[in-house]
Amino acid sequence: MGAGLTTTALLLAGCGSGGESTPTASSVAAPTTGCAAQPAAANATAIGLPSASVTLTGAGAEPRRVAAAAPDRTAPQQVTLTTSSTEESVSAATTRTVEMPLTARFDCTSDTELDLTLGTPTSPDPTLRRQLAAAAGSTGALSFGPGLAPLSLRLAPTDASSSEARSAIEQSLVQALHDAITVPVDAIGVGATWRTERTIASAATVVQTVEARLTAWDGNRLTIAFTAEESPVNSIFTIPGGDATLTIARYSYTGSGEVTLDLTRGLPVGGQATYTGARELVGAGDQSLLQKLGFTLTWR
């Protein structure tokens, strides 16, 4: 898979659900204030995100301006992230789809801190759907750097959240943030083009290269079309959950999509992307495993 799809889940301690009832969409109230006085997940363990280097290859047409955050603190942002990852081999095929409604609010004094509250996540898989329901009301926080680049994510799941739900939510968010489109810090106009590179370390360490183009800029909203590809930095694939390794004999992973960013909001307000690929892993005795990979995401 793309490197983010095999991210090891954080072990965030939590109590069992006991006799508590499962939260529902109506029983979990989203914040109504427009900004967060303090991050909801200030005490949670942080998940570092890979930094991105941005190279402007074309400034675009006049007028040009810097795409800098201009937070709207009058009302929270409501957005839904849906991700679906697939892994298929001769002997097995797995698909995991997670849909997460999110409420996002900028910090009341900082333009680089975003408070997150999770509504009721769901999935087409009935078992996972039941597990995810108990995670409604989980909180989080996201830190940004220059160019709207996500730098770190903090998650604080509800006490009733199972390890499976925590893992599914974390991997969905982390993969979406690994694929986040960072913008140049230079002044740009419609037609601007740039290249982004980031090194993502997971089961396989890969370099992700994104070619982006600004196709529209309407008020505070930027529409960006992009293509992406990954290439491994070496032939080592570490089997998740241990120290055993396999050799990467072949690897291919590419994608494309479009995203709409609103400079007054902390998360994309719309967009979609599709990634596909394959890898051949070789173990002891030259036995090989060929896997087909896929990942899709939407913001709406």
Side-chain angles (χ1 to χ4, degrees):
M1 292 184 181
L5 302 187
T6 53
T7 302
T8 301
L10 284 182
L11 298 179
L12 300 176
C15 301
S17 59
E20 297 177 350
S21 60
T22 299
T24 64
S26 60
S27 66
V28 180
T32 56
T33 56
C35 68
Q38 61 183 29
N43 297 322
T45 303
I47 305 166
L49 300 170
S51 60
S53 64
V54 179
T55 303
L56 184 65
T57 54
E62 295 283 1
R64 301 184 185 120
R65 50 182 166 150
V66 175
D72 177 0
R73 293 185 170 91
T74 62
Q77 177 188 5
Q78 305 289 343
V79 68
T80 297
L81 168 66
T82 302
T83 65
S84 184
S85 59
T86 60
E87 183 175 316
E88 181 181 350
S89 65
V90 173
S91 58
T94 60
T95 299
R96 181 159 70 179
T97 300
V98 178
E99 179 178 298
M100 291 186 292
L102 295 163
T103 299
R105 302 178 301 159
F106 274 99
D107 182 272
C108 290
T109 59
S110 172
D111 293 352
T112 61
E113 293 292 326
L114 193 70
D115 176 274
L116 303 173
T117 301
L118 183 63
T120 303
T122 188
S123 173
D125 182 305
T127 301
L128 181 57
R129 183 167 61 246
R130 288 191 296 272
Q131 305 249 1
L132 288 170
S138 297
T139 57
L142 184 62
S143 298
F144 293 95
L148 312 180
L151 297 181
S152 68
L153 172 69
R154 301 186 296 279
L155 293 176
T158 62
D159 289 345
S161 298
S162 66
S163 59
E164 291 81 0
R166 298 176 191 215
S167 174
I169 291 167
E170 181 190 318
Q171 289 194 28
S172 180
L173 282 169
V174 168
Q175 180 64 23
L177 294 170
H178 278 174
D179 295 331
I181 300 301
T182 301
V183 299
V185 296
D186 312 89
I188 56 175
V190 174
T193 56
W194 62 93
R195 178 183 303 108
T196 301
E197 290 189 351
R198 53 168 62 95
T199 300
I200 303 172
S202 187
T205 299
V206 301
V207 174
Q208 178 200 71
T209 303
V210 176
E211 299 285 350
R213 181 176 184 271
L214 179 61
T215 59
W217 192 332
D218 183 13
N220 289 308
R221 294 198 170 196
L222 293 75
T223 302
I224 301 167
F226 61 91
T227 59
E229 66 175 352
E230 292 180 358
S231 57
V233 301
N234 54 43
S235 62
I236 299 173
F237 181 92
T238 303
I239 298 175
D243 297 327
T245 63
L246 300 173
T247 299
I248 302 171
R250 291 183 292 168
Y251 187 100
S252 173
Y253 194 74
T254 60
S256 63
E258 182 178 87
V259 65
T260 300
L261 305 179
D262 187 327
L263 298 177
T264 68
R265 296 305 191 182
L267 298 175
V269 296
Q272 55 76 34
T274 300
Y275 301 85
T276 58
R279 64 188 174 205
E280 182 182 9
L281 305 175
V282 178
D286 292 331
Q287 292 188 340
S288 65
L289 172 66
L290 182 62
Q291 296 175 318
K292 295 173 64 176
L293 314 168
F295 180 74
T296 62
L297 68 85
T298 60
W299 293 97
R300 58 179 175 81

